[in-house]
Amino acid sequence: MTGTPTSRERIVDISITPVAFADPPLLNAVGVHEPFAIRTIVEVITDSGTYGLGETYGDEAHQARLTLAAEALIGTDIFDINHARTRVDEALAKDSSAGGHGMSGMITDSSTLDRVFSPFEVALLDLQGKKLGLPVSELLGGRVRERVDFSGYLFYKWAGHPGHADDRWGEALDPAGIVRQAEKMVSEYGFRALKLKGGVFAPDQEAEAIEALATRFPEVPLRIDPNAAWTVETSNRVAERLASTLEYLEDPTPGITGMAEVRSSASMPLATNMCVVAFAQLPEAIAAGSIDIILSDHHFWGGLRRSSMLAGIAETFGMSLSMHSNSHLGISLAAMLHLAGSTQNIDFACDTHWPWKNPEDDVVAGAPFHFEGGSLEVPKAPGLGVELNRDRLAALHQRYLDCGIRNRDDTGYMQKLDPDYQALAPRW
Ligand code: GKR
Ligand code: MG
């Protein structure tokens, strides 16, 4: 017996809207976050008048590629994701520009096609879910968990942007400051895992911060991520010092070979969102034995279905998965929840920058996310389960126009304040 065929639904319009939202002065291995983080909101509209949403980086070169892709996607059936990807691939063949990775120089090897196609794929899944009355998690094979655990993402930071009032988090420039920040994050969000963004101060000071966290939160799994700021020797030394303290060590040193060297002597698992960020890098990294854990990220792994494919590859080769994040808004968070909610081998609490933005700075309607015990529920409404608030979209777009930031540039911002600053990898 066959079912009733549904009518086809095709893309008639796509809008690409850059937005900006306030971001605190978070320090990392390449500098410091600028006063505003930039993102792009992708809205795909069909001939039935329905819209699907995606969210991605805001850098100018990336936006130009999104526009090329959007033009190529007009007329595509919302269920024809494979064909849509081919169209975007063909459209990008006309592009010879460089840059636009959205990562301030930290991660530049991701696949351009996967990075550009991702928000369209998410929007198509949102549309499919709306048409079928099913949440995206069910289009990805069904939920394996109803709630997704997140880690509290700790950053060294200044009290406020230079020349501006202190933000609500205050200063964290030493172990005591990091512990204070962790206490606030745990009390507000209930996180049951903590990650420290390192690569800012000398490795021993950062190791001391991890030890202070371990003393204050003895039951909480801890991670540190210096974004490849350490040499192999330094990484080995810190790994030995923190052998009994870390759940995993994230990107201590640059490159597939360097990571393999550290992994051969470190006792804890090694994770990456830097040396393996594209399918093409997997064979070499697996052969070299560089990593135990891949931090997946649908924004650069080609969307949600390709991230599910990555999960299958990780399972096949005995690697675990966790999830990477950058400064993001609610559309990205919803997509992350559907992915993590339907991926069996997400074995660790996922990263999110969510606490670092003001709650009212978003483009989604209402306040759909409620942390309990550091976890969020996977949305159950059709599609992504979030709707656009057009007033807020317009306001954040206006802020983008006003703020003058056109590419994420943590190093350039730091150099305005400290002209001698250099982003070095490795630095120690
Ligand atoms: O937001 O400064 C930051 C982070 O350093 C981010 O850009 C990284 O991509 O969180 C990320 C990571 O895990 O490497
Ligand atoms: Mg990382």
Side-chain angles (χ1 to χ4, degrees), residues 54-398:
E55 178 187 330
T56 180
Y57 311 104
D59 285 18
E60 270 181 326
H62 185 59
Q63 275 183 56
R65 293 189 195 109
L66 293 173
T67 303
L68 274 180
E71 284 159 7
L73 285 173
I74 303 301
T76 308
D77 186 294
I78 63 166
F79 285 92
D80 207 353
I81 288 182
N82 293 333
H83 183 55
R85 185 176 156 83
T86 304
R87 283 193 175 193
V88 171
D89 194 14
E90 287 164 3
L92 292 178
K94 294 177 210 145
D95 170 65
S96 58
S97 64
H101 303 91
M103 302 275 193
S104 207
M106 264 184 283
I107 301 161
T108 54
D109 296 327
S110 57
S111 144
T112 301
L113 173 58
D114 279 334
R115 208 169 55 244
V116 173
F117 186 56
S118 173
F120 298 105
E121 189 251 17
V122 171
L124 286 172
L125 289 172
D126 188 21
L127 283 163
Q128 290 181 11
K130 284 174 172 169
K131 186 164 178 81
L132 298 172
L134 294 172
V136 166
S137 59
E138 294 190 30
L139 304 179
L140 297 175
R143 284 183 299 286
V144 293
R145 57 183 67 82
E146 298 301 326
R147 300 191 70 86
V148 174
D149 288 327
F150 288 89
S151 59
Y153 200 158
L154 311 175
F155 277 81
Y156 288 105
K157 67 180 289 297
W158 300 325
H161 283 283
H164 291 80
D166 293 359
D167 58 49
R168 76 182 194 93
W169 294 95
E171 182 179 277
L173 296 172
D174 57 15
I178 289 295
V179 169
R180 268 196 311 278
Q181 189 186 96
E183 283 169 342
K184 187 169 165 65
M185 248 196 213
V186 168
S187 83
E188 289 185 17
Y189 295 86
F191 292 120
R192 288 173 294 182
L194 292 169
K195 160 171 165 172
L196 174 62
K197 172 59 53 177
V200 176
F201 294 112
D204 284 326
Q205 182 188 324
E206 298 188 350
E208 206 184 304
I210 289 290
E211 287 161 351
L213 287 168
T215 304
R216 176 63 185 81
F217 301 99
E219 308 300 327
V220 171
L222 301 173
R223 313 152 187 181
I224 185 167
D225 174 14
N227 280 119
W230 303 340
T231 63
V232 169
E233 293 68 34
T234 303
S235 305
N236 285 338
R237 189 167 57 72
V238 180
E240 205 179 323
R241 175 168 172 175
L242 298 178
S244 59
T245 321
L246 289 183
E247 175 183 45
Y248 60 73
L249 175 57
E250 186 173 327
D251 285 311
T253 205
I256 285 175
T257 310
M259 287 285 282
E261 279 185 66
V262 178
R263 185 166 174 255
S264 66
S265 54
S267 58
M268 72 284 283
L270 248 57
T272 192
N273 61 264
M274 291 184 81
C275 78
V276 181
V277 293
F279 289 94
Q281 293 168 321
L282 281 164
E284 190 191 339
I286 291 169
S290 306
I291 44 176
D292 301 283
I293 302 162
I294 299 187
L295 292 128
S296 79
D297 182 329
H298 73 271
H299 304 90
F300 55 72
W301 283 96
L304 302 179
R305 290 161 73 255
R306 281 174 74 78
S307 297
S308 299
M309 186 168 109
L310 173 66
I313 295 172
E315 182 186 294
T316 306
F317 288 95
M319 296 180 289
S320 308
L321 282 179
S322 189
M323 198 181 275
H324 167 259
S325 125
N326 269 298
S327 308
H328 63 87
L329 297 169
I331 298 170
S332 283
L333 185 62
M336 289 158 73
L337 285 170
H338 286 283
L339 179 61
S342 60
T343 304
Q344 191 75 56
N345 51 337
I346 290 273
D347 303 303
F348 299 94
C350 301
D351 288 352
T352 178
H353 283 57
W354 188 258
W356 293 111
K357 76 176 190 67
N358 299 326
E360 67 280 7
D361 271 4
D362 214 318
V363 298
V364 297
F369 307 108
H370 305 284
F371 278 91
E372 270 171 40
S375 74
L376 286 174
E377 193 177 11
V378 183
K380 302 287 187 313
L384 287 175
V386 289
E387 297 301 330
L388 204 51
N389 178 324
R390 291 183 190 280
D391 292 340
R392 289 189 187 175
L393 178 68
L396 294 199
H397 177 57
Q398 189 59 48

